Amino acid sequence: MLEHQKKAAVAQKRKALEPQERFCHILKKKISILVEYPDYHGPLNKGTESTLYCGNIIPCFHNDVKCKYSGISPLYRDPFLPTDSELAEDEESGADR
């Protein structure tokens, strides 16, 4: 019985939360987030990201900032991805150099 429990524990996925800082393209500043990894094996093998928990969720809610991680709707834009206009500006500034 004990051997079966050990095998089940090894086969079980390990969740982990990791604090990170990322640049928010809506607020135009770095913010603190928690990233959940549902199949975490170690710092070099984190697995895929599943859920992001934003540290600015309450101030953004009070200021009516709508993003994918605000908890209102996952259909809002992802604040960690640049917009098409920001990408175009980067390409133009890179061409000027």
Side-chain angles (χ1 to χ4, degrees):
M1 183 72 156
L2 187 60
E3 187 66 30
H4 175 69
Q5 289 174 341
K6 284 182 183 179
K7 286 181 182 178
V10 170
Q12 204 172 34
K13 291 185 178 184
R14 299 179 195 123
K15 284 188 177 184
L17 292 173
E18 178 182 64
Q20 293 181 3
E21 275 193 345
R22 291 197 184 165
F23 186 80
C24 176
H25 290 275
I26 296 174
L27 300 176
K28 307 286 188 220
K29 66 178 187 176
K30 278 191 172 185
I31 59 169
S32 298
I33 62 169
L34 280 177
V35 181
E36 180 180 26
Y37 296 98
D39 191 19
Y40 184 86
H41 294 287
L44 301 176
N45 185 8
K46 296 178 184 180
T48 58
E49 293 181 357
S50 73
T51 308
L52 297 181
Y53 301 98
C54 179
N56 264 23
I57 192 167
I58 293 174
C60 285
F61 179 79
H62 287 298
N63 293 321
D64 201 29
V65 175
K66 295 179 174 95
C67 80
K68 182 177 182 175
Y69 305 106
S70 64
I72 299 170
S73 172
L75 301 176
Y76 288 129
R77 71 171 239 165
D78 190 333
F80 306 117
L81 298 176
T83 61
D84 292 337
S85 60
E86 289 173 331
L87 288 172
E89 287 174 11
D90 287 345
E91 287 177 5
E92 289 174 7
S93 65
D96 294 340
R97 293 179 192 169

